[in-house]
Amino acid sequence: MELHEYSDMDATDLKCRLDRKEVTPAEVREAALAAISHVDTHLGATVGPPLDPPPTYSTSGPFSGVPFALKDLLCTAAGIANENGSAATAGYIATRDSDLMARWRAAGLSVTCRTATPEFGFSATTESAVNGPTRNPWNPQRVAGGSSGGSAALVAAGALPWAHANDAGGSIRIPAALCGVVGLKPTRGLVPPGPDSDEPLFGLTTEFAVTRTVRDAAALMDVVHGSAPGDRYFQPRRSPGDYSRAVGRRPKGLRIAVSTESPGSRHAADPAVTAEVMRIARLLEQFGGHVDNAAPDVDPELFRDLNLTFWSASIAESMRALTGVRAIEDMYSSLESSTAAMVRHGFTVEWADIARARRYQNHLTRGTASFFEFFDLTLTPTTPTTAWHVGELDSNRRGITAGEWVDTLAKYSPFTAIYNVTGQPAISIPTGMCDGLPIGVQLAAAPGRDDLLLAVAAQLEEAVPWAGRVPPIHAGKPLLPETEKMPTLYSETERT
């Protein structure tokens, strides 16, 4: 299989070729490894060597032999490193599969590599101190976004048709928007988080993937959705193929709330991003939708306090568990400055602080649910800008406080976090371009209406097809000249 053939196909196409025995799983895997090697010199999207041989997978699964990747955060595979983009957890090897990993295996996914993440996933860009920056295939001087930047960069560059991702404040949708791929954050509980957690990060975190096409997102959801025994949030299994069938539907008469100012922080999008959102709003009207300017009501101060409390308390508790008998002060030297600041703040959080944040989470969740009794969808930017320059968002800046870091992230990713707090599904689709960089728009729906998001996203994909857009760094293109390979952001001294 030639690289230009492989890199043009989504997972559904690859599976059809495999089913017809036009290629073998070994040939597809060889093409995937070659494609990753071809682009990753420029992107810095992977962590460690390729997983060769891959973790075992079902040879009778619906996507048996189709390449995949694991983000180096949360979802664990027995015997595979899970280092979280941090020196503090370097060398950690998972002892068992997570429930989601068991479903990846049962689906037949052939895991090729681990993908890069910022330290513990807490950034809107993937530029960890231990692994360096992950770069955008549309312009290697720009970021791939975070925290699933490694996965999004590989998918956008044609190296993989899809890859694991997770999202606690926008970490699936932000890199999807900046790299020009599809990023669905499912309804809370739709994808199992266990067995090691029942409600990761107070319910903010959801696992899934980034994909090149909407039909792949639907097909993947078909094989992994539904609660596992003991999950806190129960989401039943749908009938086989239900999400894939949703892709063929064309909903009419939808009520759509559009806004280009973020809920809670009131950050406005750049003119080019605003224009793209309004273009998509007009398209939805042409599809028979009814569009109004509206957004859920969010209190900026309470929303900020909630995120600061939940994130810092969670990271601090993770560090406490990791250090064991080690002195806490010794731990800080292995962390980036923003993470260390969050941990220090987290150790000051009391139960009353968590209870106050929980109360506002409940208030916001119920208020937003009421909002979705009047609207079927919201339409917003995914990010307020296209991809910014590498090094601009510095998680290792000396002297930064926990509050300053939360405020900084809110400026770069103000549109996504509300749906982590409320648990609703949201999807980023790459409908537009500006100055050679993708623009993503975000759709959100009521809890459990992931199928509606997939249906509308597929309709937009048909109207404004993006799968044919190919970035300069792509597995199907010749390598860049040696002098144009990606520059190094960190010196070896700075890395250590």
mmCIF file of all heavy atoms in Angstrom, residues 330-378:
data_model
loop_
_atom_site.group_PDB
_atom_site.id
_atom_site.type_symbol
_atom_site.label_atom_id
_atom_site.label_comp_id
_atom_site.label_asym_id
_atom_site.label_seq_id
_atom_site.Cartn_x
_atom_site.Cartn_y
_atom_site.Cartn_z
ATOM 1 N N ASP A 330 9.864 17.781 47.488
ATOM 2 C CA ASP A 330 10.733 17.173 46.483
ATOM 3 C C ASP A 330 10.010 16.991 45.155
ATOM 4 O O ASP A 330 10.639 16.969 44.092
ATOM 5 C CB ASP A 330 11.238 15.809 46.970
ATOM 6 C CG ASP A 330 12.187 15.935 48.151
ATOM 7 O OD1 ASP A 330 12.709 17.047 48.360
ATOM 8 O OD2 ASP A 330 12.381 14.932 48.848
ATOM 9 N N MET A 331 8.707 16.850 45.227
ATOM 10 C CA MET A 331 7.917 16.613 44.028
ATOM 11 C C MET A 331 7.876 17.830 43.119
ATOM 12 O O MET A 331 7.870 17.702 41.888
ATOM 13 C CB MET A 331 6.501 16.216 44.430
ATOM 14 C CG MET A 331 5.507 16.113 43.308
ATOM 15 S SD MET A 331 3.822 16.142 43.957
ATOM 16 C CE MET A 331 3.742 17.792 44.662
ATOM 17 N N TYR A 332 7.852 19.025 43.687
ATOM 18 C CA TYR A 332 7.648 20.222 42.885
ATOM 19 C C TYR A 332 8.726 20.412 41.824
ATOM 20 O O TYR A 332 8.464 20.951 40.749
ATOM 21 C CB TYR A 332 7.575 21.458 43.784
ATOM 22 C CG TYR A 332 6.308 21.518 44.598
ATOM 23 C CD1 TYR A 332 6.344 21.470 45.986
ATOM 24 C CD2 TYR A 332 5.066 21.616 43.982
ATOM 25 C CE1 TYR A 332 5.180 21.516 46.736
ATOM 26 C CE2 TYR A 332 3.897 21.668 44.730
ATOM 27 C CZ TYR A 332 3.959 21.617 46.111
ATOM 28 O OH TYR A 332 2.802 21.657 46.849
ATOM 29 N N SER A 333 9.936 19.980 42.097
ATOM 30 C CA SER A 333 11.022 20.171 41.144
ATOM 31 C C SER A 333 10.818 19.375 39.861
ATOM 32 O O SER A 333 11.431 19.677 38.834
ATOM 33 C CB SER A 333 12.359 19.787 41.781
ATOM 34 O OG SER A 333 12.366 18.408 42.123
ATOM 35 N N SER A 334 9.952 18.361 39.891
ATOM 36 C CA SER A 334 9.707 17.552 38.699
ATOM 37 C C SER A 334 8.505 18.039 37.898
ATOM 38 O O SER A 334 8.159 17.436 36.878
ATOM 39 C CB SER A 334 9.500 16.082 39.089
ATOM 40 O OG SER A 334 8.347 15.931 39.890
ATOM 41 N N LEU A 335 7.879 19.119 38.351
ATOM 42 C CA LEU A 335 6.684 19.624 37.690
ATOM 43 C C LEU A 335 6.960 20.937 36.972
ATOM 44 O O LEU A 335 7.839 21.719 37.378
ATOM 45 C CB LEU A 335 5.564 19.853 38.704
ATOM 46 C CG LEU A 335 5.060 18.631 39.467
ATOM 47 C CD1 LEU A 335 4.064 19.071 40.540
ATOM 48 C CD2 LEU A 335 4.427 17.625 38.523
ATOM 49 N N GLU A 336 6.185 21.213 35.932
ATOM 50 C CA GLU A 336 6.221 22.521 35.306
ATOM 51 C C GLU A 336 5.645 23.553 36.277
ATOM 52 O O GLU A 336 4.887 23.221 37.189
ATOM 53 C CB GLU A 336 5.425 22.505 33.995
ATOM 54 C CG GLU A 336 6.033 21.582 32.949
ATOM 55 C CD GLU A 336 5.210 21.518 31.682
ATOM 56 O OE1 GLU A 336 4.429 22.472 31.421
ATOM 57 O OE2 GLU A 336 5.346 20.532 30.934
ATOM 58 N N SER A 337 5.989 24.813 36.073
ATOM 59 C CA SER A 337 5.628 25.834 37.057
ATOM 60 C C SER A 337 4.113 25.996 37.193
ATOM 61 O O SER A 337 3.595 26.192 38.299
ATOM 62 C CB SER A 337 6.267 27.178 36.683
ATOM 63 O OG SER A 337 5.906 27.566 35.371
ATOM 64 N N SER A 338 3.361 25.889 36.084
ATOM 65 C CA SER A 338 1.909 26.028 36.193
ATOM 66 C C SER A 338 1.313 24.854 36.955
ATOM 67 O O SER A 338 0.389 25.036 37.760
ATOM 68 C CB SER A 338 1.267 26.131 34.804
ATOM 69 O OG SER A 338 1.526 24.963 34.045
ATOM 70 N N THR A 339 1.828 23.642 36.714
ATOM 71 C CA THR A 339 1.327 22.474 37.439
ATOM 72 C C THR A 339 1.649 22.581 38.919
ATOM 73 O O THR A 339 0.807 22.299 39.777
ATOM 74 C CB THR A 339 1.926 21.178 36.871
ATOM 75 O OG1 THR A 339 1.751 21.150 35.455
ATOM 76 C CG2 THR A 339 1.272 19.955 37.485
ATOM 77 N N ALA A 340 2.873 22.990 39.217
ATOM 78 C CA ALA A 340 3.267 23.146 40.622
ATOM 79 C C ALA A 340 2.378 24.165 41.317
ATOM 80 O O ALA A 340 1.962 23.966 42.472
ATOM 81 C CB ALA A 340 4.731 23.561 40.706
ATOM 82 N N ALA A 341 2.056 25.255 40.608
ATOM 83 C CA ALA A 341 1.183 26.271 41.199
ATOM 84 C C ALA A 341 -0.210 25.704 41.455
ATOM 85 O O ALA A 341 -0.835 25.978 42.500
ATOM 86 C CB ALA A 341 1.095 27.479 40.267
ATOM 87 N N MET A 342 -0.704 24.897 40.539
ATOM 88 C CA MET A 342 -2.018 24.281 40.727
ATOM 89 C C MET A 342 -2.000 23.311 41.910
ATOM 90 O O MET A 342 -2.952 23.249 42.690
ATOM 91 C CB MET A 342 -2.450 23.558 39.452
ATOM 92 C CG MET A 342 -2.737 24.477 38.265
ATOM 93 S SD MET A 342 -4.128 25.608 38.519
ATOM 94 C CE MET A 342 -5.503 24.462 38.490
ATOM 95 N N VAL A 343 -0.921 22.545 42.039
ATOM 96 C CA VAL A 343 -0.819 21.599 43.154
ATOM 97 C C VAL A 343 -0.792 22.347 44.482
ATOM 98 O O VAL A 343 -1.494 21.990 45.431
ATOM 99 C CB VAL A 343 0.426 20.708 42.997
ATOM 100 C CG1 VAL A 343 0.640 19.859 44.252
ATOM 101 C CG2 VAL A 343 0.289 19.817 41.773
ATOM 102 N N ARG A 344 0.027 23.388 44.553
ATOM 103 C CA ARG A 344 0.107 24.170 45.800
ATOM 104 C C ARG A 344 -1.267 24.740 46.160
ATOM 105 O O ARG A 344 -1.678 24.714 47.319
ATOM 106 C CB ARG A 344 1.129 25.300 45.647
ATOM 107 C CG ARG A 344 2.577 24.817 45.553
ATOM 108 C CD ARG A 344 3.525 26.009 45.460
ATOM 109 N NE ARG A 344 4.870 25.605 45.125
ATOM 110 C CZ ARG A 344 5.774 25.158 45.990
ATOM 111 N NH1 ARG A 344 5.449 25.056 47.278
ATOM 112 N NH2 ARG A 344 6.989 24.814 45.589
ATOM 113 N N HIS A 345 -1.954 25.270 45.161
ATOM 114 C CA HIS A 345 -3.289 25.804 45.436
ATOM 115 C C HIS A 345 -4.236 24.684 45.849
ATOM 116 O O HIS A 345 -5.054 24.848 46.770
ATOM 117 C CB HIS A 345 -3.839 26.521 44.209
ATOM 118 C CG HIS A 345 -5.179 27.152 44.438
ATOM 119 N ND1 HIS A 345 -5.331 28.381 45.029
ATOM 120 C CD2 HIS A 345 -6.438 26.698 44.187
ATOM 121 C CE1 HIS A 345 -6.615 28.669 45.129
ATOM 122 N NE2 HIS A 345 -7.319 27.665 44.619
ATOM 123 N N GLY A 346 -4.129 23.534 45.173
ATOM 124 C CA GLY A 346 -5.009 22.417 45.472
ATOM 125 C C GLY A 346 -4.897 21.938 46.901
ATOM 126 O O GLY A 346 -5.894 21.499 47.507
ATOM 127 N N PHE A 347 -3.692 22.017 47.461
ATOM 128 C CA PHE A 347 -3.502 21.592 48.844
ATOM 129 C C PHE A 347 -4.155 22.551 49.839
ATOM 130 O O PHE A 347 -4.313 22.221 51.021
ATOM 131 C CB PHE A 347 -2.015 21.445 49.162
ATOM 132 C CG PHE A 347 -1.406 20.198 48.574
ATOM 133 C CD1 PHE A 347 -0.091 20.207 48.121
ATOM 134 C CD2 PHE A 347 -2.130 19.023 48.481
ATOM 135 C CE1 PHE A 347 0.479 19.075 47.583
ATOM 136 C CE2 PHE A 347 -1.551 17.877 47.945
ATOM 137 C CZ PHE A 347 -0.253 17.895 47.493
ATOM 138 N N THR A 348 -4.545 23.741 49.375
ATOM 139 C CA THR A 348 -5.247 24.689 50.251
ATOM 140 C C THR A 348 -6.766 24.569 50.143
ATOM 141 O O THR A 348 -7.493 25.191 50.921
ATOM 142 C CB THR A 348 -4.853 26.137 49.926
ATOM 143 O OG1 THR A 348 -5.416 26.524 48.664
ATOM 144 C CG2 THR A 348 -3.344 26.306 49.883
ATOM 145 N N VAL A 349 -7.244 23.823 49.158
ATOM 146 C CA VAL A 349 -8.686 23.699 48.939
ATOM 147 C C VAL A 349 -9.311 22.880 50.064
ATOM 148 O O VAL A 349 -8.814 21.822 50.453
ATOM 149 C CB VAL A 349 -8.967 23.037 47.578
ATOM 150 C CG1 VAL A 349 -10.450 22.698 47.432
ATOM 151 C CG2 VAL A 349 -8.522 23.956 46.440
ATOM 152 N N GLU A 350 -10.413 23.375 50.593
ATOM 153 C CA GLU A 350 -11.138 22.689 51.656
ATOM 154 C C GLU A 350 -12.463 22.151 51.117
ATOM 155 O O GLU A 350 -12.905 22.518 50.031
ATOM 156 C CB GLU A 350 -11.382 23.651 52.818
ATOM 157 C CG GLU A 350 -10.085 24.172 53.442
ATOM 158 C CD GLU A 350 -10.341 25.138 54.580
ATOM 159 O OE1 GLU A 350 -11.524 25.569 54.739
ATOM 160 O OE2 GLU A 350 -9.392 25.481 55.299
ATOM 161 N N TRP A 351 -13.089 21.296 51.915
ATOM 162 C CA TRP A 351 -14.346 20.706 51.485
ATOM 163 C C TRP A 351 -15.391 21.781 51.184
ATOM 164 O O TRP A 351 -16.183 21.644 50.242
ATOM 165 C CB TRP A 351 -14.878 19.740 52.541
ATOM 166 C CG TRP A 351 -16.271 19.286 52.222
ATOM 167 C CD1 TRP A 351 -17.411 19.545 52.906
ATOM 168 C CD2 TRP A 351 -16.666 18.517 51.077
ATOM 169 N NE1 TRP A 351 -18.500 18.981 52.279
ATOM 170 C CE2 TRP A 351 -18.059 18.341 51.143
ATOM 171 C CE3 TRP A 351 -15.964 17.965 49.999
ATOM 172 C CZ2 TRP A 351 -18.773 17.638 50.184
ATOM 173 C CZ3 TRP A 351 -16.684 17.264 49.033
ATOM 174 C CH2 TRP A 351 -18.064 17.099 49.135
ATOM 175 N N ALA A 352 -15.396 22.866 51.953
ATOM 176 C CA ALA A 352 -16.371 23.935 51.703
ATOM 177 C C ALA A 352 -16.181 24.527 50.311
ATOM 178 O O ALA A 352 -17.162 24.911 49.648
ATOM 179 C CB ALA A 352 -16.231 25.020 52.764
ATOM 180 N N ASP A 353 -14.924 24.617 49.853
ATOM 181 C CA ASP A 353 -14.654 25.137 48.507
ATOM 182 C C ASP A 353 -15.220 24.199 47.446
ATOM 183 O O ASP A 353 -15.826 24.642 46.453
ATOM 184 C CB ASP A 353 -13.150 25.307 48.294
ATOM 185 C CG ASP A 353 -12.508 26.221 49.318
ATOM 186 O OD1 ASP A 353 -13.079 27.295 49.582
ATOM 187 O OD2 ASP A 353 -11.439 25.846 49.850
ATOM 188 N N ILE A 354 -15.002 22.909 47.636
ATOM 189 C CA ILE A 354 -15.512 21.926 46.685
ATOM 190 C C ILE A 354 -17.034 21.920 46.690
ATOM 191 O O ILE A 354 -17.675 21.853 45.633
ATOM 192 C CB ILE A 354 -14.940 20.532 46.996
ATOM 193 C CG1 ILE A 354 -13.434 20.521 46.755
ATOM 194 C CG2 ILE A 354 -15.636 19.451 46.169
ATOM 195 C CD1 ILE A 354 -12.741 19.258 47.196
ATOM 196 N N ALA A 355 -17.633 22.005 47.871
ATOM 197 C CA ALA A 355 -19.090 22.024 47.964
ATOM 198 C C ALA A 355 -19.666 23.244 47.247
ATOM 199 O O ALA A 355 -20.698 23.152 46.570
ATOM 200 C CB ALA A 355 -19.514 22.022 49.427
ATOM 201 N N ARG A 356 -18.992 24.385 47.386
ATOM 202 C CA ARG A 356 -19.469 25.597 46.706
ATOM 203 C C ARG A 356 -19.384 25.434 45.188
ATOM 204 O O ARG A 356 -20.322 25.791 44.456
ATOM 205 C CB ARG A 356 -18.633 26.801 47.153
ATOM 206 C CG ARG A 356 -19.091 28.123 46.545
ATOM 207 C CD ARG A 356 -18.375 29.304 47.174
ATOM 208 N NE ARG A 356 -16.928 29.213 46.996
ATOM 209 C CZ ARG A 356 -16.071 28.940 47.982
ATOM 210 N NH1 ARG A 356 -16.519 28.717 49.216
ATOM 211 N NH2 ARG A 356 -14.773 28.898 47.755
ATOM 212 N N ALA A 357 -18.278 24.855 44.711
ATOM 213 C CA ALA A 357 -18.133 24.619 43.271
ATOM 214 C C ALA A 357 -19.163 23.606 42.786
ATOM 215 O O ALA A 357 -19.736 23.749 41.691
ATOM 216 C CB ALA A 357 -16.710 24.140 42.969
ATOM 217 N N ARG A 358 -19.422 22.586 43.592
ATOM 218 C CA ARG A 358 -20.428 21.587 43.231
ATOM 219 C C ARG A 358 -21.825 22.219 43.123
ATOM 220 O O ARG A 358 -22.620 21.868 42.246
ATOM 221 C CB ARG A 358 -20.447 20.473 44.279
ATOM 222 C CG ARG A 358 -19.351 19.446 44.140
ATOM 223 C CD ARG A 358 -19.599 18.575 42.942
ATOM 224 N NE ARG A 358 -19.034 17.243 43.107
ATOM 225 C CZ ARG A 358 -18.991 16.346 42.145
ATOM 226 N NH1 ARG A 358 -19.508 16.610 40.970
ATOM 227 N NH2 ARG A 358 -18.464 15.159 42.354
ATOM 228 N N ARG A 359 -22.116 23.129 44.033
ATOM 229 C CA ARG A 359 -23.419 23.790 43.988
ATOM 230 C C ARG A 359 -23.577 24.571 42.688
ATOM 231 O O ARG A 359 -24.643 24.546 42.062
ATOM 232 C CB ARG A 359 -23.604 24.721 45.191
ATOM 233 C CG ARG A 359 -23.961 24.011 46.481
ATOM 234 C CD ARG A 359 -24.469 24.985 47.526
ATOM 235 N NE ARG A 359 -23.460 25.967 47.907
ATOM 236 C CZ ARG A 359 -22.548 25.786 48.859
ATOM 237 N NH1 ARG A 359 -22.513 24.650 49.536
ATOM 238 N NH2 ARG A 359 -21.685 26.736 49.147
ATOM 239 N N TYR A 360 -22.505 25.271 42.296
ATOM 240 C CA TYR A 360 -22.620 26.025 41.047
ATOM 241 C C TYR A 360 -22.666 25.089 39.838
ATOM 242 O O TYR A 360 -23.372 25.359 38.862
ATOM 243 C CB TYR A 360 -21.482 27.036 40.881
ATOM 244 C CG TYR A 360 -21.723 27.891 39.660
ATOM 245 C CD1 TYR A 360 -22.858 28.703 39.597
ATOM 246 C CD2 TYR A 360 -20.872 27.838 38.565
ATOM 247 C CE1 TYR A 360 -23.132 29.455 38.454
ATOM 248 C CE2 TYR A 360 -21.132 28.589 37.434
ATOM 249 C CZ TYR A 360 -22.263 29.393 37.382
ATOM 250 O OH TYR A 360 -22.547 30.127 36.263
ATOM 251 N N GLN A 361 -21.938 23.983 39.899
ATOM 252 C CA GLN A 361 -22.021 22.998 38.815
ATOM 253 C C GLN A 361 -23.466 22.509 38.656
ATOM 254 O O GLN A 361 -23.981 22.399 37.536
ATOM 255 C CB GLN A 361 -21.093 21.819 39.085
ATOM 256 C CG GLN A 361 -21.087 20.782 37.957
ATOM 257 C CD GLN A 361 -20.164 19.617 38.253
ATOM 258 O OE1 GLN A 361 -19.968 19.243 39.417
ATOM 259 N NE2 GLN A 361 -19.579 19.035 37.213
ATOM 260 N N ASN A 362 -24.104 22.214 39.760
ATOM 261 C CA ASN A 362 -25.502 21.772 39.723
ATOM 262 C C ASN A 362 -26.406 22.869 39.155
ATOM 263 O O ASN A 362 -27.274 22.609 38.307
ATOM 264 C CB ASN A 362 -25.963 21.382 41.128
ATOM 265 C CG ASN A 362 -27.432 20.986 41.175
ATOM 266 O OD1 ASN A 362 -27.840 20.037 40.528
ATOM 267 N ND2 ASN A 362 -28.227 21.740 41.936
ATOM 268 N N HIS A 363 -26.195 24.105 39.612
ATOM 269 C CA HIS A 363 -26.998 25.233 39.131
ATOM 270 C C HIS A 363 -26.812 25.416 37.621
ATOM 271 O O HIS A 363 -27.806 25.586 36.877
ATOM 272 C CB HIS A 363 -26.591 26.506 39.877
ATOM 273 C CG HIS A 363 -27.209 27.751 39.334
ATOM 274 N ND1 HIS A 363 -28.490 28.153 39.658
ATOM 275 C CD2 HIS A 363 -26.720 28.685 38.465
ATOM 276 C CE1 HIS A 363 -28.766 29.282 39.031
ATOM 277 N NE2 HIS A 363 -27.717 29.624 38.294
ATOM 278 N N LEU A 364 -25.554 25.378 37.163
ATOM 279 C CA LEU A 364 -25.270 25.608 35.745
ATOM 280 C C LEU A 364 -25.797 24.452 34.888
ATOM 281 O O LEU A 364 -26.350 24.668 33.801
ATOM 282 C CB LEU A 364 -23.769 25.784 35.541
ATOM 283 C CG LEU A 364 -23.308 26.124 34.126
ATOM 284 C CD1 LEU A 364 -23.959 27.420 33.650
ATOM 285 C CD2 LEU A 364 -21.784 26.251 34.081
ATOM 286 N N THR A 365 -25.643 23.233 35.385
ATOM 287 C CA THR A 365 -26.122 22.067 34.639
ATOM 288 C C THR A 365 -27.627 22.131 34.444
ATOM 289 O O THR A 365 -28.146 21.892 33.338
ATOM 290 C CB THR A 365 -25.731 20.773 35.373
ATOM 291 O OG1 THR A 365 -24.302 20.695 35.456
ATOM 292 C CG2 THR A 365 -26.253 19.547 34.644
ATOM 293 N N ARG A 366 -28.346 22.473 35.504
ATOM 294 C CA ARG A 366 -29.810 22.536 35.400
ATOM 295 C C ARG A 366 -30.274 23.736 34.569
ATOM 296 O O ARG A 366 -31.221 23.635 33.776
ATOM 297 C CB ARG A 366 -30.427 22.573 36.798
ATOM 298 C CG ARG A 366 -30.193 21.271 37.559
ATOM 299 C CD ARG A 366 -30.775 21.299 38.958
ATOM 300 N NE ARG A 366 -30.444 20.067 39.672
ATOM 301 C CZ ARG A 366 -31.106 18.924 39.544
ATOM 302 N NH1 ARG A 366 -32.168 18.862 38.742
ATOM 303 N NH2 ARG A 366 -30.740 17.869 40.223
ATOM 304 N N GLY A 367 -29.582 24.860 34.734
ATOM 305 C CA GLY A 367 -29.941 26.032 33.943
ATOM 306 C C GLY A 367 -29.697 25.824 32.455
ATOM 307 O O GLY A 367 -30.509 26.224 31.614
ATOM 308 N N THR A 368 -28.580 25.173 32.123
ATOM 309 C CA THR A 368 -28.276 24.914 30.719
ATOM 310 C C THR A 368 -29.237 23.883 30.136
ATOM 311 O O THR A 368 -29.663 23.988 28.975
ATOM 312 C CB THR A 368 -26.819 24.439 30.575
ATOM 313 O OG1 THR A 368 -25.947 25.403 31.178
ATOM 314 C CG2 THR A 368 -26.429 24.292 29.111
ATOM 315 N N ALA A 369 -29.607 22.888 30.945
ATOM 316 C CA ALA A 369 -30.600 21.918 30.484
ATOM 317 C C ALA A 369 -31.925 22.605 30.169
ATOM 318 O O ALA A 369 -32.597 22.274 29.177
ATOM 319 C CB ALA A 369 -30.796 20.830 31.531
ATOM 320 N N SER A 370 -32.308 23.577 30.993
ATOM 321 C CA SER A 370 -33.532 24.333 30.724
ATOM 322 C C SER A 370 -33.403 25.144 29.437
ATOM 323 O O SER A 370 -34.359 25.255 28.654
ATOM 324 C CB SER A 370 -33.846 25.263 31.899
ATOM 325 O OG SER A 370 -34.116 24.522 33.074
ATOM 326 N N PHE A 371 -32.216 25.697 29.203
ATOM 327 C CA PHE A 371 -31.952 26.437 27.960
ATOM 328 C C PHE A 371 -32.201 25.538 26.751
ATOM 329 O O PHE A 371 -32.780 25.965 25.735
ATOM 330 C CB PHE A 371 -30.517 26.948 27.981
ATOM 331 C CG PHE A 371 -30.108 27.726 26.762
ATOM 332 C CD1 PHE A 371 -30.353 29.084 26.679
ATOM 333 C CD2 PHE A 371 -29.455 27.105 25.707
ATOM 334 C CE1 PHE A 371 -29.961 29.812 25.563
ATOM 335 C CE2 PHE A 371 -29.065 27.820 24.591
ATOM 336 C CZ PHE A 371 -29.324 29.176 24.517
ATOM 337 N N PHE A 372 -31.791 24.269 26.853
ATOM 338 C CA PHE A 372 -31.935 23.336 25.737
ATOM 339 C C PHE A 372 -33.352 22.775 25.619
ATOM 340 O O PHE A 372 -33.610 21.955 24.736
ATOM 341 C CB PHE A 372 -30.903 22.219 25.829
ATOM 342 C CG PHE A 372 -29.570 22.614 25.248
ATOM 343 C CD1 PHE A 372 -28.611 23.248 26.026
ATOM 344 C CD2 PHE A 372 -29.287 22.375 23.916
ATOM 345 C CE1 PHE A 372 -27.402 23.637 25.488
ATOM 346 C CE2 PHE A 372 -28.087 22.765 23.365
ATOM 347 C CZ PHE A 372 -27.129 23.390 24.150
ATOM 348 N N GLU A 373 -34.248 23.219 26.468
ATOM 349 C CA GLU A 373 -35.658 22.937 26.212
ATOM 350 C C GLU A 373 -36.223 23.889 25.159
ATOM 351 O O GLU A 373 -37.237 23.588 24.522
ATOM 352 C CB GLU A 373 -36.463 23.056 27.506
ATOM 353 C CG GLU A 373 -36.158 21.954 28.513
ATOM 354 C CD GLU A 373 -37.041 22.042 29.746
ATOM 355 O OE1 GLU A 373 -37.683 23.095 29.953
ATOM 356 O OE2 GLU A 373 -37.074 21.049 30.497
ATOM 357 N N PHE A 374 -35.567 25.036 24.967
ATOM 358 C CA PHE A 374 -35.987 26.011 23.965
ATOM 359 C C PHE A 374 -35.168 25.903 22.681
ATOM 360 O O PHE A 374 -35.616 26.349 21.622
ATOM 361 C CB PHE A 374 -35.877 27.436 24.530
ATOM 362 C CG PHE A 374 -36.803 27.702 25.671
ATOM 363 C CD1 PHE A 374 -36.377 27.539 26.984
ATOM 364 C CD2 PHE A 374 -38.120 28.084 25.443
ATOM 365 C CE1 PHE A 374 -37.242 27.778 28.047
ATOM 366 C CE2 PHE A 374 -38.989 28.326 26.498
ATOM 367 C CZ PHE A 374 -38.552 28.168 27.805
ATOM 368 N N PHE A 375 -33.955 25.356 22.774
ATOM 369 C CA PHE A 375 -33.075 25.227 21.616
ATOM 370 C C PHE A 375 -32.620 23.780 21.468
ATOM 371 O O PHE A 375 -32.385 23.085 22.462
ATOM 372 C CB PHE A 375 -31.853 26.136 21.761
ATOM 373 C CG PHE A 375 -32.178 27.599 21.712
ATOM 374 C CD1 PHE A 375 -32.311 28.326 22.889
ATOM 375 C CD2 PHE A 375 -32.360 28.245 20.503
ATOM 376 C CE1 PHE A 375 -32.623 29.683 22.854
ATOM 377 C CE2 PHE A 375 -32.676 29.593 20.454
ATOM 378 C CZ PHE A 375 -32.806 30.314 21.636
ATOM 379 N N ASP A 376 -32.461 23.344 20.206
ATOM 380 C CA ASP A 376 -31.943 22.006 19.937
ATOM 381 C C ASP A 376 -30.424 21.996 19.906
ATOM 382 O O ASP A 376 -29.802 20.993 20.277
ATOM 383 C CB ASP A 376 -32.479 21.503 18.590
ATOM 384 C CG ASP A 376 -33.988 21.409 18.572
ATOM 385 O OD1 ASP A 376 -34.529 20.591 19.334
ATOM 386 O OD2 ASP A 376 -34.621 22.173 17.811
ATOM 387 N N LEU A 377 -29.842 23.099 19.452
ATOM 388 C CA LEU A 377 -28.388 23.181 19.302
ATOM 389 C C LEU A 377 -27.908 24.567 19.688
ATOM 390 O O LEU A 377 -28.652 25.549 19.587
ATOM 391 C CB LEU A 377 -27.973 22.945 17.837
ATOM 392 C CG LEU A 377 -28.250 21.601 17.180
ATOM 393 C CD1 LEU A 377 -27.918 21.697 15.694
ATOM 394 C CD2 LEU A 377 -27.421 20.508 17.837
ATOM 395 N N THR A 378 -26.644 24.642 20.112
ATOM 396 C CA THR A 378 -25.932 25.914 20.136
ATOM 397 C C THR A 378 -24.829 25.859 19.092
ATOM 398 O O THR A 378 -24.265 24.799 18.802
ATOM 399 C CB THR A 378 -25.301 26.213 21.506
ATOM 400 O OG1 THR A 378 -24.397 25.155 21.865
ATOM 401 C CG2 THR A 378 -26.357 26.363 22.579
#
